[in-house]
Amino acid sequence: MPETHARRRSLLRAELRAKELDALLVTDLLNLRYLTGFTGSNGALLVNAEDDARSLFCTDGRYLTQSETQVPDLERVIDRPCDAALAKKANGRLGFESHKVTVDGLDLLEEAADAELVRAAGLVEQLRLIKDEDEVEALRMACAAADRALAALVEHGGLRPGRTELEVARDLENRMLEHGAAGPAFETIVAAGANSAVPHHRPTAAVLRTGDFVKLDFGALVDGYHSDMTRTFVIGDAADWQREIYELVAAAQAAGRGALAVGTKVSDVDAAARAVIEAAGHGEHFLHGLGHGVGLQVHEAPALSKVGVGTLAAGMAVTVEPGVYLAGRGGVRIEDTLVVRAGAPELLTLTTKDLVVV
């Protein structure tokens, strides 16, 4: 998508001019992918503030053919190390990703560059906060792959007594591959029984049993973009306390989704959901922030939490995932991926949020 990447670089050049930088050296590989489409393991980009025709892309000989296809619209430098090779070609005030460059890496840049090195942390990440429609479409496809995989898992009896958490996790990940994912977005969480009270439990040989909560937190990876969804099931019969906790978390999740409006403080979104849980006397059992941004990383800005900073803007992709965790008994989390819009948010994870007893 050369046009898409050129448009993103154009937005970045405007930021560089505003900060009186002559160029930016991009060395973070996710930021490089965002700006060029390159998916290799070694590369860098020198973005010229005035003229994209003077921007340079660098990789090494392993990616000669790949870069011809993925980065057809920029002049290429085949060299290594790429950061030093491009720094040598810069003049004036050269911004660099100081939040990503190591101490030794900075020494290398200082040796290579005649330009004035200027810390320029987070400039590309600030652009990545707002997803363009190409990114949203990739997120839609990732969420759809996860939705379809979960539906197939349930339909074919994948959640049943006697299976282990590990077996369910591998089954679900394989089904995501079958439904269009390049891979799982992160290590799938399957947490049964008392393990469901551990927010980020890693699946084990623990066996699913009748009466268990089973919490599934998982996502699909499509075109580099991550989906993120959590659903909590009950095997067999649901006890009254399980229905009570589930309904509470569902109400809190609905409140969080309802607070996703342009201009709202991210901390206020967290507060909207947290207030529901606190009013029911379970505030101490909600152990984490409400959600996070999602895109080329499964956890990225903004952070929807008590200490989150900033306000929502149209195009931000975020999760809303309150939970209540009762140690030794079980827990519930319900999570969706959504895109903030000028009106109501767009829901990307479409699996029902009603309590499902399997």
Side-chain angles (χ1 to χ4, degrees):
M1 301 181 293
E3 306 85 2
T4 296
H5 300 123
R7 182 176 67 249
R8 295 171 185 171
R9 294 195 299 272
S10 178
L11 294 172
L12 179 58
R13 289 200 307 278
E15 290 296 314
L16 298 184
R17 292 191 294 270
K19 295 185 179 300
E20 298 183 339
L21 294 173
D22 295 294
L24 177 69
L25 180 61
V26 178
T27 50
D28 178 79
L29 287 175
L30 286 180
N31 289 341
L32 182 63
R33 178 171 185 162
Y34 177 77
L35 294 170
T36 69
F38 180 68
T39 61
S41 65
N42 181 46
L45 175 67
L46 185 67
V47 181
N48 185 279
E50 297 297 333
D51 185 359
D52 205 33
R54 293 160 58 193
S55 296
L56 298 172
F57 168 81
C58 179
T59 188
D60 64 67
R62 295 172 299 167
Y63 297 109
L64 182 63
T65 301
Q66 178 179 330
S67 63
E68 286 177 348
T69 301
Q70 292 185 328
V71 194
D73 56 337
L74 290 173
E75 181 180 345
R76 287 181 305 153
V77 175
I78 305 301
D79 201 350
R80 61 188 311 171
C82 283
D83 49 0
L86 294 184
K88 291 177 182 177
K89 297 179 180 294
N91 297 298
R93 287 168 50 84
L94 174 61
F96 69 99
E97 295 183 308
S98 54
H99 60 309
K100 299 293 183 179
V101 174
T102 65
V103 173
D104 287 347
L106 179 57
D107 289 342
L108 184 67
L109 291 181
E110 288 176 337
E111 291 174 7
D114 289 328
E116 176 189 357
L117 291 173
V118 180
R119 293 175 182 267
L123 292 185
V124 183
E125 285 86 350
Q126 192 66 30
L127 294 179
R128 284 171 47 193
L129 277 171
I130 309 299
K131 271 57 182 179
D132 57 39
E133 288 306 313
D134 291 322
E135 293 179 283
V136 173
E137 181 57 26
L139 287 168
R140 282 195 197 100
M141 292 191 295
C143 291
D147 279 326
R148 292 194 296 265
L150 180 58
L153 179 78
V154 174
E155 179 183 351
H156 291 91
L159 296 176
R160 62 179 183 271
R163 296 196 92 191
T164 68
E165 294 171 340
L166 281 168
E167 287 171 339
V168 174
R170 298 296 86 78
D171 191 352
L172 183 54
E173 289 177 350
N174 287 334
R175 292 181 188 278
M176 285 192 284
L177 293 174
E178 292 169 0
H179 287 89
F186 51 91
E187 183 181 8
T188 296
I189 294 172
V190 178
N195 290 338
S196 62
V198 180
H200 274 193
H201 172 74
R202 301 183 72 178
T204 68
V207 174
L208 279 61
R209 304 182 187 280
T210 299
D212 277 354
F213 271 137
V214 181
K215 181 182 67 194
L216 306 175
D217 186 344
F218 64 104
L221 181 67
V222 174
D223 289 340
Y225 285 80
H226 302 70
S227 68
D228 196 356
M229 174 168 67
T230 306
R231 293 294 186 268
T232 306
F233 297 82
V234 174
I235 295 182
D237 296 319
D240 289 344
W241 73 271
Q242 290 174 311
R243 293 185 181 277
E244 177 185 339
I245 294 301
Y246 192 94
E247 290 170 5
L248 173 61
V249 174
Q253 211 256 355
R257 297 196 321 269
L260 292 178
V262 173
T264 302
K265 292 181 180 179
V266 293
S267 57
D268 288 347
V269 181
D270 178 278
R274 196 171 298 276
V276 175
I277 293 174
E278 290 177 342
H282 283 289
E284 66 184 33
H285 300 133
F286 182 7
L287 305 174
H288 51 74
L290 179 64
H292 54 84
V294 65
L296 287 170
Q297 293 172 289
V298 72
H299 289 92
E300 58 183 45
L304 308 186
S305 70
K306 290 180 179 180
V307 296
V309 176
T311 59
L312 295 177
M316 288 183 174
V318 298
T319 68
V320 174
E321 49 179 304
V324 169
Y325 310 94
L326 305 181
R329 299 184 70 188
V332 174
R333 181 163 68 248
I334 303 172
E335 175 186 19
D336 284 313
T337 298
L338 308 99
V339 178
V340 179
R341 298 296 194 184
E346 179 183 354
L347 179 65
L348 301 186
T349 42
L350 304 180
T351 298
T352 181
K353 287 180 282 292
D354 295 336
L355 176 60
V356 175
V357 179
V358 294

